[in-house]
Amino acid sequence: MNLTFLGTSAGSPTAQRNVSSMLLDLRQEQHGLWLFDCGESTQMQMQKAKFSLAKLEVIFLTHLHGDHLFGLPGVLTTRSLMQNQSPLTLIAPKGIKQFIETVIEISYSWLTYSLNIIELEQDRTVFEDERFRVEAKLLKHRVPCFGYRIIEKDLLAQLDIDKLKQDNIQVGSYYNDLKKGKTITLDDGRIIRAVDYQTKIKKGKKLAILGDTIPCQASITLASDVDLLVHEATQENALEDKAIERGHSTTVHAATIAKQANAKRLIMTHISPRYSLDDNNKLVNEARSVFANTEIATDFSTFTI
Ligand SMILES: [Zn+2]
Ligand SMILES: [Zn+2]
């Protein structure tokens, strides 16, 4: 799976960074595109990165501050112009339903596909199917703001049919027993251990995508042992007081959470407009002094998980 950052600026866009939005491409995992946050111009950023609105499957919003929300009306209504529409799920804190209904009504717009809205008020599992589970937890920001833990389930072992054929084993009526991992005795007396004919289990990936927050226990829980943590880093370390006062984190805060959670990799985003891309090295080095495997996102950067 690939994660592409469509916007990495905090609060307002700059000439170098658009506001918050990132896209998790799960098409190789038999899913669609999952969008996390939807700042202004997200549909434009999607076009530039060559992602189709029609392929959107779920939109997760961390919170309803404008820099994470104001791109949503455009994304939803333009999607109505696409061919081959599929249903879309929108998961966001309480209030999103009123926002969408109001925007649609006042602007004389409409949606031509089915939009399933899930409003969050507390910690809960927000998505589950055979392949993925997503859990949401309340973080600590100035308004209700959630972080998401995305868990790809382990792919269970399959029987290696070719190997069974090679060894001239007619599984027939034993198929289900072998699949369950049992040892069987064939009619000719041979004893067959399932473990010798199962393909390897593929471990699922885990990632945490957190919204705006000061450091908190919920962040550590969501990011526990993940392959990838996306954490905001609005300010540099020297501006810690300012960050906390406004409900945000610094580079060192993000790195400390990654370390405490035993995450494998950290990507920082939601960078204050006060910093230009020339400041990236300074910001990332601050974080690396605490957590070595840290990177800083720029618009259109893509990370493979
Ligand atoms: Zn923000
Ligand atoms: Zn915010």
Side-chain angles (χ1 to χ4, degrees):
M1 60 183 88
N2 290 315
L3 182 67
T4 298
F5 286 80
L6 300 173
T8 55
S9 181
S12 53
T14 70
Q16 296 178 322
R17 294 181 184 274
N18 196 49
V19 278
S20 285
S21 180
M22 68 199 91
L23 207 142
L24 185 63
D25 185 347
L26 296 176
R27 284 176 291 181
Q28 284 181 357
E29 284 76 20
Q30 284 79 51
H31 272 275
L33 304 176
W34 288 9
L35 186 70
F36 290 82
D37 283 335
C38 193
E40 186 185 335
S41 291
T42 292
Q43 61 168 320
M44 207 45 189
Q45 298 292 87
M46 281 182 68
Q47 279 186 27
K48 287 180 184 167
K50 304 212 166 8
F51 289 116
S52 165
L53 288 171
K55 295 271 176 355
L56 278 177
E57 184 182 36
V58 188
I59 300 176
F60 301 81
L61 299 190
T62 59
H63 64 305
L64 302 184
H65 271 154
D67 58 322
H68 300 254
L69 170 69
F70 288 165
L72 192 60
V75 164
L76 294 182
T77 51
T78 303
R79 194 176 185 272
S80 278
L81 306 176
M82 304 279 141
Q83 284 183 331
N84 304 323
Q85 291 160 6
S86 48
L88 178 66
T89 298
L90 171 62
I91 300 167
K94 189 170 166 55
I96 193 65
K97 206 157 190 253
Q98 188 189 355
F99 175 81
I100 297 297
E101 284 169 1
T102 305
V103 165
I104 299 267
E105 187 190 332
I106 302 276
S107 64
Y108 303 96
S109 304
W110 62 88
L111 303 181
T112 55
Y113 52 88
S114 136
L115 179 67
N116 169 33
I117 299 178
I118 298 174
E119 289 199 316
L120 292 177
E121 290 185 85
Q122 59 195 23
D123 297 357
R124 56 172 282 196
T125 299
V126 292
F127 182 96
E128 179 147 28
D129 67 4
E130 286 173 0
R131 200 80 192 257
F132 287 94
R133 187 170 77 248
V134 183
E135 288 163 4
K137 257 186 184 305
L138 195 59
L139 304 171
K140 285 210 165 89
H141 192 42
R142 285 171 295 146
V143 301
C145 181
F146 288 83
Y148 296 101
R149 178 179 175 87
I150 301 107
I151 303 144
E152 183 189 17
K153 296 178 182 178
D154 295 341
L155 275 184
L156 295 179
Q158 301 288 320
L159 284 182
D160 188 340
I161 300 295
D162 289 341
K163 195 175 174 203
L164 285 164
K165 273 187 192 153
Q166 268 171 27
D167 292 353
N168 202 19
I169 298 166
Q170 307 285 333
V171 274
S173 56
Y174 300 111
Y175 183 86
N176 283 333
D177 284 344
L178 273 181
K179 210 158 179 222
K180 283 178 194 155
K182 290 184 183 168
T183 297
I184 57 163
T185 306
L186 296 177
D187 295 342
D188 61 13
R190 281 184 293 166
I191 293 170
I192 306 296
R193 298 188 317 158
V195 67
D196 294 331
Y197 292 93
Q198 283 175 331
T199 53
K200 280 218 175 86
I201 292 171
K202 184 175 170 277
K203 279 294 268 180
K205 303 287 185 187
K206 292 192 282 288
L207 61 157
I209 296 178
L210 309 186
D212 295 4
T213 188
I214 61 171
C216 63
Q217 181 57 45
S219 295
I220 299 171
T221 307
L222 287 167
S224 168
D225 297 319
V226 290
D227 296 281
L228 182 77
L229 164 63
V230 178
H231 198 294
E232 69 127 297
T234 309
Q235 304 290 358
E236 65 193 288
N237 190 39
L239 297 180
E240 180 177 3
D241 291 348
K242 190 183 178 75
I244 296 290
E245 183 193 312
R246 302 198 176 172
H248 290 299
S249 294
T250 65
T251 51
V252 169
H253 288 150
T256 305
I257 293 291
K259 190 176 175 184
Q260 289 172 332
N262 193 35
K264 292 192 179 75
R265 188 179 183 192
L266 166 67
I267 300 171
M268 300 188 295
T269 185
H270 199 271
I271 311 298
S272 166
R274 76 170 65 236
Y275 305 108
S276 77
L277 295 181
D278 294 338
D279 297 310
N280 277 1
N281 276 342
K282 179 194 166 179
L283 295 171
V284 88
N285 285 336
E286 284 187 354
R288 282 180 183 164
S289 68
V290 176
F291 185 80
N293 199 7
T294 301
E295 288 153 282
I296 189 165
T298 52
D299 287 16
F300 304 114
S301 55
T302 295
F303 299 84
T304 299
I305 304 139

